[in-house]
Amino acid sequence: PYGYHRVITIAYLCSSIALFSIGSFLFLDSSLNLIYGKRPTIGSFIFFGQTIWQGYIMMLVLFCFNTPMVFLGRAKVPLAKILHEKNLYADAETAKADWMSAIAGIIGIAGIGLGWWWADSAAAAFISLNIIYGGFSNLKQAVVDLMNQAPKTVEGMKTDPIIAKILKTLKSEKWIKDVEIRLREEGHVFFGEACVIAHSDANLTANIKKTLNKIYALNWRIQDFGITPVDNLDQNSSPKDQTKE
């Protein structure tokens, strides 16, 4: 009955799992290499009579193929904020993980060339911790979004200011004596409701319609919102005020 909006949240969950898995695999692989003391070797090849170390080619390839990810990742972040697209933000974090892994690879290859056999694994293990942190943060947020936590911002995962704006709009209405609201995130958009105590029943339907128009005008993400008149705001019969979270 609420459409397919939550497909976005499911995609966000999958992206977060992928990001967390990348960091975990990188950390596990590099840690095992350090524990078992694996000493990687990088050979050379002959090119037009010149001996060329393969490490130079490897570093060049890593640099060329991963440099675009730096700019693509940064370009996705402002779009994710505008669209309220957490999946796109997680994808930007994945792009960041890609170029950070490439940096670790370049540092490691250079270290091996200098005779530091542990450089590659150590650099990868260090950078993987940052990837794991980003992956875990996004994974946690994806799970609580599916559990209908109060909506959070794309970046920083703070309580979305739109909740306070809705409450302020409702409290500014002269016909409303008291109000509590709740809002849930459905992918890009929000669904919510308000329980209000009216000063009187006069023109109640017209007042609700006029107030709803103001709520919808606040932000395009407010897809569905309802206002229910009640006699009291007892916690057993009304939603929790999310502005207190």
Side-chain angles (χ1 to χ4, degrees):
Y2 295 103
Y4 295 97
H5 295 290
R6 280 211 167 167
V7 168
I8 303 301
T9 308
I10 294 172
Y12 177 44
L13 175 65
C14 295
S15 299
S16 301
I17 291 173
L19 181 61
F20 182 75
S21 299
I22 290 171
S24 300
F25 174 79
L26 186 61
F27 180 78
L28 181 62
D29 182 64
S30 56
S31 298
L32 290 176
N33 288 337
L34 287 172
I35 291 172
Y36 291 111
K38 291 186 178 180
R39 299 174 180 270
T41 57
I42 301 176
S44 303
F45 66 95
I46 305 298
F47 185 73
F48 289 105
Q50 298 293 325
T51 301
I52 300 177
W53 184 50
Q54 293 179 1
Y56 295 133
I57 306 299
M58 296 164 67
M59 288 190 287
L60 179 63
V61 170
L62 284 171
F63 178 80
C64 292
F65 280 89
N66 286 279
T67 297
M69 302 305 293
V70 177
F71 302 101
L72 287 173
R74 292 177 64 89
K76 291 175 182 178
V77 172
L79 292 175
K81 293 179 181 179
I82 294 172
L83 298 173
H84 193 71
E85 174 58 273
K86 292 181 179 179
N87 184 43
L88 184 61
Y89 185 77
D91 189 58
E93 290 285 304
T94 303
K96 180 181 177 181
D98 287 340
W99 65 256
M100 289 182 70
S101 299
I103 289 176
I106 292 172
I107 294 173
I109 292 168
I112 292 171
L114 295 172
W116 303 337
W117 65 268
W118 46 265
D120 184 37
S121 297
F126 178 76
I127 290 178
S128 68
L129 295 176
N130 183 272
I131 300 173
I132 290 173
Y133 175 77
F136 178 78
S137 298
N138 283 278
L139 179 58
K140 177 183 176 182
Q141 188 57 48
V143 171
V144 295
D145 280 350
L146 288 169
M147 295 171 64
N148 288 332
Q149 184 190 45
K152 303 294 181 181
T153 57
V154 170
E155 187 178 30
M157 303 305 176
K158 299 178 181 178
T159 300
D160 199 299
I162 199 170
I163 297 174
K165 290 181 180 179
I166 293 174
L167 190 63
K168 182 179 179 181
T169 300
L170 290 169
K171 288 186 174 181
S172 67
E173 292 294 302
K174 295 181 179 179
W175 67 275
I176 295 178
K177 181 179 180 181
D178 199 5
V179 59
E180 284 187 356
I181 67 172
R182 63 180 175 186
L183 209 65
R184 70 177 184 272
E185 195 169 325
E186 299 278 350
H188 298 124
V189 299
F190 296 151
F191 287 63
E193 57 188 309
C195 288
V196 303
I197 298 177
H199 286 288
S200 70
D201 294 337
N203 299 318
L204 191 58
T205 303
N207 286 331
I208 289 176
K209 184 177 180 180
K210 179 185 67 175
T211 304
L212 280 175
N213 289 334
K214 291 182 180 180
I215 296 297
Y216 287 127
L218 290 175
N219 196 290
W220 66 269
R221 288 177 289 162
I222 305 174
Q223 183 75 18
D224 190 294
F225 198 85
I227 297 178
T228 304
V230 296
D231 294 326
N232 62 77
L233 297 177
D234 188 284
Q235 290 185 354
N236 295 324
S237 59
S238 63
K240 181 179 179 182
D241 186 349
Q242 292 180 338
T243 57
K244 299 175 183 178
E245 291 189 0

mmCIF file of all heavy atoms in Angstrom, residues 27-57:
data_model
loop_
_atom_site.group_PDB
_atom_site.id
_atom_site.type_symbol
_atom_site.label_atom_id
_atom_site.label_comp_id
_atom_site.label_asym_id
_atom_site.label_seq_id
_atom_site.Cartn_x
_atom_site.Cartn_y
_atom_site.Cartn_z
ATOM 1 N N PHE A 27 41.224 -6.138 5.404
ATOM 2 C CA PHE A 27 41.894 -6.220 6.703
ATOM 3 C C PHE A 27 42.325 -7.654 7.012
ATOM 4 O O PHE A 27 43.450 -7.887 7.480
ATOM 5 C CB PHE A 27 40.965 -5.714 7.806
ATOM 6 C CG PHE A 27 41.563 -5.766 9.185
ATOM 7 C CD1 PHE A 27 42.471 -4.807 9.595
ATOM 8 C CD2 PHE A 27 41.226 -6.783 10.069
ATOM 9 C CE1 PHE A 27 43.042 -4.858 10.859
ATOM 10 C CE2 PHE A 27 41.783 -6.841 11.321
ATOM 11 C CZ PHE A 27 42.693 -5.875 11.729
ATOM 12 N N LEU A 28 41.439 -8.617 6.744
ATOM 13 C CA LEU A 28 41.755 -10.021 7.018
ATOM 14 C C LEU A 28 42.919 -10.499 6.160
ATOM 15 O O LEU A 28 43.855 -11.141 6.663
ATOM 16 C CB LEU A 28 40.522 -10.888 6.761
ATOM 17 C CG LEU A 28 40.676 -12.398 7.029
ATOM 18 C CD1 LEU A 28 40.990 -12.643 8.498
ATOM 19 C CD2 LEU A 28 39.408 -13.143 6.620
ATOM 20 N N ASP A 29 42.879 -10.173 4.878
ATOM 21 C CA ASP A 29 43.935 -10.617 3.963
ATOM 22 C C ASP A 29 45.284 -10.021 4.338
ATOM 23 O O ASP A 29 46.298 -10.731 4.395
ATOM 24 C CB ASP A 29 43.558 -10.224 2.535
ATOM 25 C CG ASP A 29 44.584 -10.702 1.517
ATOM 26 O OD1 ASP A 29 44.754 -11.932 1.369
ATOM 27 O OD2 ASP A 29 45.208 -9.843 0.869
ATOM 28 N N SER A 30 45.307 -8.720 4.614
ATOM 29 C CA SER A 30 46.571 -8.061 4.953
ATOM 30 C C SER A 30 47.095 -8.521 6.309
ATOM 31 O O SER A 30 48.310 -8.681 6.496
ATOM 32 C CB SER A 30 46.386 -6.538 4.946
ATOM 33 O OG SER A 30 45.342 -6.152 5.827
ATOM 34 N N SER A 31 46.193 -8.748 7.246
ATOM 35 C CA SER A 31 46.614 -9.211 8.573
ATOM 36 C C SER A 31 47.229 -10.603 8.512
ATOM 37 O O SER A 31 48.268 -10.874 9.149
ATOM 38 C CB SER A 31 45.421 -9.225 9.539
ATOM 39 O OG SER A 31 44.895 -7.930 9.707
ATOM 40 N N LEU A 32 46.624 -11.486 7.733
ATOM 41 C CA LEU A 32 47.170 -12.840 7.587
ATOM 42 C C LEU A 32 48.540 -12.816 6.927
ATOM 43 O O LEU A 32 49.440 -13.586 7.299
ATOM 44 C CB LEU A 32 46.201 -13.712 6.784
ATOM 45 C CG LEU A 32 44.892 -14.098 7.482
ATOM 46 C CD1 LEU A 32 43.991 -14.866 6.536
ATOM 47 C CD2 LEU A 32 45.187 -14.938 8.732
ATOM 48 N N ASN A 33 48.708 -11.922 5.951
ATOM 49 C CA ASN A 33 50.011 -11.805 5.299
ATOM 50 C C ASN A 33 51.089 -11.354 6.282
ATOM 51 O O ASN A 33 52.228 -11.818 6.229
ATOM 52 C CB ASN A 33 49.930 -10.826 4.131
ATOM 53 C CG ASN A 33 49.156 -11.383 2.951
ATOM 54 O OD1 ASN A 33 49.045 -12.602 2.806
ATOM 55 N ND2 ASN A 33 48.637 -10.515 2.107
ATOM 56 N N LEU A 34 50.705 -10.439 7.189
ATOM 57 C CA LEU A 34 51.662 -9.970 8.194
ATOM 58 C C LEU A 34 51.958 -11.063 9.212
ATOM 59 O O LEU A 34 53.118 -11.260 9.616
ATOM 60 C CB LEU A 34 51.113 -8.737 8.909
ATOM 61 C CG LEU A 34 51.103 -7.431 8.109
ATOM 62 C CD1 LEU A 34 50.363 -6.346 8.871
ATOM 63 C CD2 LEU A 34 52.535 -6.974 7.805
ATOM 64 N N ILE A 35 50.910 -11.787 9.619
ATOM 65 C CA ILE A 35 51.090 -12.840 10.629
ATOM 66 C C ILE A 35 51.992 -13.957 10.113
ATOM 67 O O ILE A 35 52.899 -14.431 10.808
ATOM 68 C CB ILE A 35 49.716 -13.409 11.049
ATOM 69 C CG1 ILE A 35 48.929 -12.350 11.835
ATOM 70 C CG2 ILE A 35 49.889 -14.671 11.909
ATOM 71 C CD1 ILE A 35 47.491 -12.741 12.115
ATOM 72 N N TYR A 36 51.742 -14.376 8.868
ATOM 73 C CA TYR A 36 52.522 -15.480 8.301
ATOM 74 C C TYR A 36 53.813 -15.008 7.636
ATOM 75 O O TYR A 36 54.591 -15.832 7.148
ATOM 76 C CB TYR A 36 51.666 -16.253 7.295
ATOM 77 C CG TYR A 36 50.543 -17.026 7.933
ATOM 78 C CD1 TYR A 36 49.215 -16.644 7.747
ATOM 79 C CD2 TYR A 36 50.791 -18.126 8.749
ATOM 80 C CE1 TYR A 36 48.175 -17.336 8.344
ATOM 81 C CE2 TYR A 36 49.753 -18.832 9.359
ATOM 82 C CZ TYR A 36 48.447 -18.425 9.149
ATOM 83 O OH TYR A 36 47.420 -19.112 9.743
ATOM 84 N N GLY A 37 54.033 -13.711 7.630
ATOM 85 C CA GLY A 37 55.292 -13.183 7.102
ATOM 86 C C GLY A 37 55.500 -13.445 5.619
ATOM 87 O O GLY A 37 56.623 -13.723 5.178
ATOM 88 N N LYS A 38 54.441 -13.351 4.843
ATOM 89 C CA LYS A 38 54.567 -13.579 3.403
ATOM 90 C C LYS A 38 55.379 -12.457 2.770
ATOM 91 O O LYS A 38 55.116 -11.280 2.966
ATOM 92 C CB LYS A 38 53.176 -13.657 2.765
ATOM 93 C CG LYS A 38 52.393 -14.892 3.151
ATOM 94 C CD LYS A 38 51.085 -14.978 2.377
ATOM 95 C CE LYS A 38 50.314 -16.243 2.722
ATOM 96 N NZ LYS A 38 49.033 -16.331 1.972
ATOM 97 N N ARG A 39 56.354 -12.857 1.989
ATOM 98 C CA ARG A 39 57.245 -11.883 1.351
ATOM 99 C C ARG A 39 56.976 -11.860 -0.154
ATOM 100 O O ARG A 39 57.490 -12.710 -0.886
ATOM 101 C CB ARG A 39 58.707 -12.231 1.637
ATOM 102 C CG ARG A 39 59.042 -12.203 3.128
ATOM 103 C CD ARG A 39 60.456 -12.687 3.397
ATOM 104 N NE ARG A 39 60.756 -12.657 4.813
ATOM 105 C CZ ARG A 39 61.289 -11.612 5.446
ATOM 106 N NH1 ARG A 39 61.590 -10.523 4.771
ATOM 107 N NH2 ARG A 39 61.510 -11.655 6.745
ATOM 108 N N PRO A 40 56.180 -10.922 -0.601
ATOM 109 C CA PRO A 40 55.863 -10.859 -2.035
ATOM 110 C C PRO A 40 57.081 -10.445 -2.855
ATOM 111 O O PRO A 40 57.926 -9.670 -2.398
ATOM 112 C CB PRO A 40 54.758 -9.798 -2.101
ATOM 113 C CG PRO A 40 55.001 -8.936 -0.906
ATOM 114 C CD PRO A 40 55.521 -9.855 0.165
ATOM 115 N N THR A 41 57.155 -10.966 -4.048
ATOM 116 C CA THR A 41 58.243 -10.612 -4.960
ATOM 117 C C THR A 41 57.660 -10.025 -6.233
ATOM 118 O O THR A 41 56.620 -10.482 -6.727
ATOM 119 C CB THR A 41 59.089 -11.848 -5.321
ATOM 120 O OG1 THR A 41 58.246 -12.851 -5.881
ATOM 121 C CG2 THR A 41 59.775 -12.405 -4.081
ATOM 122 N N ILE A 42 58.300 -9.019 -6.745
ATOM 123 C CA ILE A 42 57.876 -8.369 -7.976
ATOM 124 C C ILE A 42 59.027 -8.457 -8.967
ATOM 125 O O ILE A 42 60.115 -7.928 -8.715
ATOM 126 C CB ILE A 42 57.480 -6.902 -7.730
ATOM 127 C CG1 ILE A 42 56.342 -6.823 -6.705
ATOM 128 C CG2 ILE A 42 57.063 -6.229 -9.036
ATOM 129 C CD1 ILE A 42 55.956 -5.411 -6.331
ATOM 130 N N GLY A 43 58.780 -9.130 -10.070
ATOM 131 C CA GLY A 43 59.837 -9.361 -11.044
ATOM 132 C C GLY A 43 60.042 -8.219 -12.015
ATOM 133 O O GLY A 43 59.483 -7.129 -11.864
ATOM 134 N N SER A 44 60.825 -8.484 -13.046
ATOM 135 C CA SER A 44 61.140 -7.505 -14.093
ATOM 136 C C SER A 44 60.901 -8.133 -15.455
ATOM 137 O O SER A 44 60.725 -9.347 -15.578
ATOM 138 C CB SER A 44 62.594 -7.046 -13.980
ATOM 139 O OG SER A 44 62.856 -6.492 -12.697
ATOM 140 N N PHE A 45 60.878 -7.307 -16.484
ATOM 141 C CA PHE A 45 60.762 -7.815 -17.852
ATOM 142 C C PHE A 45 61.628 -6.958 -18.780
ATOM 143 O O PHE A 45 61.994 -5.826 -18.446
ATOM 144 C CB PHE A 45 59.303 -7.826 -18.312
ATOM 145 C CG PHE A 45 58.682 -6.455 -18.444
ATOM 146 C CD1 PHE A 45 58.648 -5.796 -19.664
ATOM 147 C CD2 PHE A 45 58.124 -5.821 -17.333
ATOM 148 C CE1 PHE A 45 58.078 -4.534 -19.778
ATOM 149 C CE2 PHE A 45 57.562 -4.564 -17.438
ATOM 150 C CZ PHE A 45 57.533 -3.918 -18.666
ATOM 151 N N ILE A 46 61.917 -7.518 -19.930
ATOM 152 C CA ILE A 46 62.769 -6.837 -20.899
ATOM 153 C C ILE A 46 61.899 -6.140 -21.924
ATOM 154 O O ILE A 46 61.006 -6.747 -22.533
ATOM 155 C CB ILE A 46 63.717 -7.835 -21.610
ATOM 156 C CG1 ILE A 46 64.527 -8.632 -20.579
ATOM 157 C CG2 ILE A 46 64.632 -7.080 -22.567
ATOM 158 C CD1 ILE A 46 65.425 -7.775 -19.708
ATOM 159 N N PHE A 47 62.140 -4.859 -22.122
ATOM 160 C CA PHE A 47 61.380 -4.070 -23.089
ATOM 161 C C PHE A 47 62.358 -3.271 -23.943
ATOM 162 O O PHE A 47 63.015 -2.346 -23.454
ATOM 163 C CB PHE A 47 60.404 -3.130 -22.358
ATOM 164 C CG PHE A 47 59.488 -2.373 -23.271
ATOM 165 C CD1 PHE A 47 58.438 -3.022 -23.910
ATOM 166 C CD2 PHE A 47 59.685 -1.020 -23.505
ATOM 167 C CE1 PHE A 47 57.578 -2.321 -24.742
ATOM 168 C CE2 PHE A 47 58.844 -0.318 -24.350
ATOM 169 C CZ PHE A 47 57.782 -0.975 -24.971
ATOM 170 N N PHE A 48 62.470 -3.678 -25.230
ATOM 171 C CA PHE A 48 63.415 -3.054 -26.146
ATOM 172 C C PHE A 48 64.830 -2.995 -25.561
ATOM 173 O O PHE A 48 65.513 -1.969 -25.608
ATOM 174 C CB PHE A 48 62.960 -1.644 -26.534
ATOM 175 C CG PHE A 48 61.765 -1.626 -27.439
ATOM 176 C CD1 PHE A 48 60.519 -1.284 -26.952
ATOM 177 C CD2 PHE A 48 61.887 -1.963 -28.783
ATOM 178 C CE1 PHE A 48 59.404 -1.272 -27.784
ATOM 179 C CE2 PHE A 48 60.776 -1.944 -29.622
ATOM 180 C CZ PHE A 48 59.535 -1.607 -29.130
ATOM 181 N N GLY A 49 65.197 -4.123 -24.974
ATOM 182 C CA GLY A 49 66.549 -4.253 -24.444
ATOM 183 C C GLY A 49 66.755 -3.625 -23.086
ATOM 184 O O GLY A 49 67.857 -3.701 -22.527
ATOM 185 N N GLN A 50 65.695 -3.039 -22.520
ATOM 186 C CA GLN A 50 65.807 -2.407 -21.203
ATOM 187 C C GLN A 50 65.071 -3.247 -20.159
ATOM 188 O O GLN A 50 63.968 -3.742 -20.397
ATOM 189 C CB GLN A 50 65.192 -0.999 -21.234
ATOM 190 C CG GLN A 50 65.884 -0.036 -22.185
ATOM 191 C CD GLN A 50 67.293 0.303 -21.729
ATOM 192 O OE1 GLN A 50 67.573 0.408 -20.543
ATOM 193 N NE2 GLN A 50 68.202 0.474 -22.700
ATOM 194 N N THR A 51 65.704 -3.403 -19.010
ATOM 195 C CA THR A 51 65.077 -4.140 -17.912
ATOM 196 C C THR A 51 64.191 -3.183 -17.108
ATOM 197 O O THR A 51 64.666 -2.171 -16.590
ATOM 198 C CB THR A 51 66.136 -4.747 -16.983
ATOM 199 O OG1 THR A 51 66.984 -5.632 -17.742
ATOM 200 C CG2 THR A 51 65.481 -5.529 -15.857
ATOM 201 N N ILE A 52 62.925 -3.511 -17.058
ATOM 202 C CA ILE A 52 61.959 -2.646 -16.372
ATOM 203 C C ILE A 52 61.325 -3.417 -15.221
ATOM 204 O O ILE A 52 60.845 -4.547 -15.394
ATOM 205 C CB ILE A 52 60.862 -2.161 -17.338
ATOM 206 C CG1 ILE A 52 61.486 -1.359 -18.489
ATOM 207 C CG2 ILE A 52 59.818 -1.318 -16.601
ATOM 208 C CD1 ILE A 52 60.493 -0.889 -19.528
ATOM 209 N N TRP A 53 61.321 -2.813 -14.074
ATOM 210 C CA TRP A 53 60.710 -3.425 -12.880
ATOM 211 C C TRP A 53 59.194 -3.376 -13.022
ATOM 212 O O TRP A 53 58.605 -2.334 -13.308
ATOM 213 C CB TRP A 53 61.150 -2.669 -11.638
ATOM 214 C CG TRP A 53 60.655 -3.258 -10.343
ATOM 215 C CD1 TRP A 53 60.728 -4.548 -9.944
ATOM 216 C CD2 TRP A 53 60.001 -2.545 -9.280
ATOM 217 N NE1 TRP A 53 60.175 -4.705 -8.703
ATOM 218 C CE2 TRP A 53 59.721 -3.494 -8.266
ATOM 219 C CE3 TRP A 53 59.647 -1.216 -9.080
ATOM 220 C CZ2 TRP A 53 59.088 -3.149 -7.085
ATOM 221 C CZ3 TRP A 53 59.026 -0.863 -7.910
ATOM 222 C CH2 TRP A 53 58.744 -1.817 -6.914
ATOM 223 N N GLN A 54 58.521 -4.479 -12.835
ATOM 224 C CA GLN A 54 57.072 -4.559 -12.999
ATOM 225 C C GLN A 54 56.303 -3.697 -12.000
ATOM 226 O O GLN A 54 55.159 -3.327 -12.238
ATOM 227 C CB GLN A 54 56.617 -6.019 -12.884
ATOM 228 C CG GLN A 54 57.099 -6.909 -14.013
ATOM 229 C CD GLN A 54 56.640 -8.343 -13.853
ATOM 230 O OE1 GLN A 54 55.934 -8.683 -12.899
ATOM 231 N NE2 GLN A 54 57.049 -9.202 -14.777
ATOM 232 N N GLY A 55 56.934 -3.386 -10.899
ATOM 233 C CA GLY A 55 56.280 -2.551 -9.893
ATOM 234 C C GLY A 55 55.892 -1.183 -10.431
ATOM 235 O O GLY A 55 54.852 -0.629 -10.056
ATOM 236 N N TYR A 56 56.730 -0.625 -11.348
ATOM 237 C CA TYR A 56 56.407 0.673 -11.934
ATOM 238 C C TYR A 56 55.112 0.598 -12.738
ATOM 239 O O TYR A 56 54.266 1.501 -12.667
ATOM 240 C CB TYR A 56 57.543 1.142 -12.847
ATOM 241 C CG TYR A 56 58.843 1.425 -12.126
ATOM 242 C CD1 TYR A 56 60.052 0.926 -12.608
ATOM 243 C CD2 TYR A 56 58.856 2.210 -10.971
ATOM 244 C CE1 TYR A 56 61.245 1.195 -11.949
ATOM 245 C CE2 TYR A 56 60.041 2.490 -10.307
ATOM 246 C CZ TYR A 56 61.230 1.972 -10.802
ATOM 247 O OH TYR A 56 62.414 2.233 -10.148
ATOM 248 N N ILE A 57 54.974 -0.486 -13.509
ATOM 249 C CA ILE A 57 53.761 -0.667 -14.314
ATOM 250 C C ILE A 57 52.547 -0.846 -13.407
ATOM 251 O O ILE A 57 51.471 -0.277 -13.657
ATOM 252 C CB ILE A 57 53.904 -1.897 -15.237
ATOM 253 C CG1 ILE A 57 55.185 -1.780 -16.083
ATOM 254 C CG2 ILE A 57 52.673 -2.034 -16.118
ATOM 255 C CD1 ILE A 57 55.202 -0.561 -16.981
#
